[in-house]
Each structure stands twice: as C-alpha cells, then as structure tokens.
Amino acid sequence: MMIASSLLSSLPGLRHAFFTREGGVSEGIYESLNGGLGSNDDPAHVAENRRRMANALRVKPSHFLTVYQVHSPDVAIVSEPWRTEERPHADALVTRTPGLAIGITTADCGPVLFADPEARVIGAAHAGWKGALSGVIEATIEAMETLGARKADMRAAIGPLIRQPSYEVGAEFVERFTAKDATNARYFVASTRADHAMFDLAGYIRARLARAGIAAIDDVGLDTYADPRFFSYRRTTHRAEPDYGRNIHALVLD
C-alpha cells in the first residue's frame, strides 16, 4: 500500500507515503486504492480509499488534503483544512502546521515531497512535464522559504513516475524543451520510431531540484507505466480504457 523514501524516513517528526493502488475498495479499472476526486469512480469508494490513506498517515480524513491540479507552477500555502469543493487550483502545497497531511495525485507525472526538518516545513509538488518546465519545483521551494525553510536544510524525494524507457514523445515535445534551454537535449534519447524520443522526466526533475539549490535528493526509482502497482494514464490510454485511477503521495508533520 505504501512506498517510502529512505531519505525522508530518516527524518524525525515526519510521516510520508507514496501510496500504491493496493489496499482499497474500488473495483474494475479503478482497483483498488483510487484516490482521484476527479475520476469517474464511485465517490463513496474514493472517500473510503482516502480515509484509509489518512489513517495510514495517522490524520483525520478532513486533514488529508489535495488540491485541484491544473498542471501549473502555482502553490497553495496551507494552514487549515478545507472542504473538498473548496480546494484551491494549484499543483503544490506547503505547510508548517502539524497534523495536516498535504498530498498530490498522479498517474504518471512526478510527485516530489519536500521537508526541512530544522524549520519543520514540508511541501508536495505535482511535477508533470508542464509543471516542471514552468517552474513548479522552484515555486514550491520559494513558498517553503516564506514559511522559514532554508534550501540548505531541505530534503526532496522523487516518487513513482513514468520513466524514460516508457515515456515516448514526439519531435514537437523535444523542441518545446530545447527551445527553453538547449541543454535539455540531454534528457532525451532516440526512440525506435522516427521523429520520436524517450524522455527522462525523473532526470529533468532531479536537475531542476539541484539547480534550485537542493543537495539532498532521493528517488525511489519506480516506473508507474511498467509497474502494475500504480495507476498510469499512458497505460490506460494504450489499453483504450475509458478512465483511470490516481495515485496519492503525501506527508505530514507530527
């Protein structure tokens, strides 16, 4: 049900989880721990799945928070719970409030969990290619700094995401990245198909973290497309399924 980062696990006063799709009540294509509020799954099943995840992190279900994600660099600073229908449109959350579990949902995009154990500030970022390219990682770090965190004390863990062997993209995708920075070409290798390439999203995220000044970085190294323990938008697309579940990744201060 849960995957942990060894880096974050070593920090006192912090609980975290990269949740798998195992251990829930959803059925069919959503089997079984679907946390996606935006999916077409039975809302009662999603609510029960999220309750189980909240319980795993030892928080109240009302304190297990995710945002309405829009593939942006926008960050929500969290100090108290919100109702589901009032959740902000953003792609990252930061807090220094104990007992609030902040999380993001993915189905191939990159989850990044942050912690400054000295300032006791945490963050969670949804870093798909759009968000990573537009600066969601740097925006999360900046928001944490407004709460008293320091880059020198921050740790970051990259969770399960679609890995380079599974992530084929077209020429226009490569051009978008290289137009932004010519050195981004290093995150692509040739595909077996003409005018296509394989993209290293994890490597790109790690480089953005390092360039932003984060020295302590962990990566769990798991591929959501290749590993059936995780929901994958691309796998669903290739199977022509009508919808897909969402993985949740979250952390909380004691």
Side-chain angles (χ1 to χ4, degrees):
M1 181 180 181
M2 298 161 56
I3 302 293
S5 155
S6 58
L7 179 63
L8 296 187
S9 295
S10 68
L11 304 180
L14 177 74
R15 297 186 298 279
H16 78 285
F18 295 105
F19 287 100
T20 72
R21 64 184 292 175
E22 301 168 336
V25 299
S26 293
E27 301 173 344
I29 58 174
Y30 304 109
E31 185 181 358
S32 67
L33 194 69
N34 172 32
L37 296 170
S39 71
N40 293 321
D41 193 5
D42 183 333
H45 288 169
V46 175
E48 171 58 19
N49 292 337
R50 292 171 69 95
R51 186 198 66 77
R52 292 185 181 195
M53 287 184 266
N55 185 61
L57 289 178
R58 303 201 298 277
V59 300
K60 300 175 183 177
S62 61
H63 288 53
F64 188 76
L65 306 176
T66 57
V67 287
Y68 189 113
Q69 295 172 188
V70 291
H71 297 278
S72 72
D74 299 334
V75 184
I77 296 177
V78 187
S79 59
E80 58 186 10
W82 53 61
R83 293 189 302 172
T84 297
E85 60 272 20
E86 296 173 343
R87 67 194 191 279
H89 287 57
D91 285 271
L93 308 85
V94 302
T95 190
R96 61 183 176 191
T97 304
L100 286 182
I102 55 172
I104 52 94
T105 63
T106 69
D108 283 337
C109 291
V112 186
L113 302 183
F114 297 81
D116 178 340
E118 303 302 322
R120 287 184 53 79
V121 177
I122 56 175
H126 166 238
W129 72 263
K130 286 183 182 178
L133 187 64
S134 63
V136 71
I137 291 165
E138 293 82 356
T140 305
I141 294 168
E142 291 171 8
M144 290 178 66
E145 288 178 312
T146 69
L147 297 181
R150 297 174 64 248
K151 289 179 183 178
D153 296 324
M154 289 185 197
R155 276 74 157 173
I158 303 167
L161 53 79
I162 189 168
R163 302 281 163 168
Q164 190 167 34
S166 304
Y167 201 174
E168 186 179 56
V169 297
E172 72 288 346
F173 186 103
V174 179
E175 290 165 6
R176 190 190 299 260
F177 273 76
T178 54
K180 187 90 169 180
D181 183 343
T183 65
N184 284 339
R186 62 184 152 166
Y187 303 110
F188 298 91
V189 296
S191 168
T192 55
R193 286 204 296 168
D195 297 322
H196 284 73
M198 311 303 289
F199 178 48
D200 182 9
L201 176 60
Y204 182 71
I205 290 171
R206 190 179 194 111
R208 296 284 298 232
L209 286 165
R211 191 165 62 192
I214 308 303
I217 305 169
D218 185 26
D219 184 348
V220 302
L222 298 172
D223 185 341
T224 49
Y225 181 90
D227 191 331
R229 291 177 299 170
F230 300 100
F231 295 108
S232 165
Y233 169 76
R234 181 162 290 215
R235 188 195 313 125
T236 284
T237 301
H238 287 169
R239 291 178 176 177
E241 294 170 340
D243 194 21
Y244 56 99
R246 275 70 157 182
N247 312 296
I248 293 190
H249 314 291
L251 72 174
V252 59
L253 293 166
D254 286 337

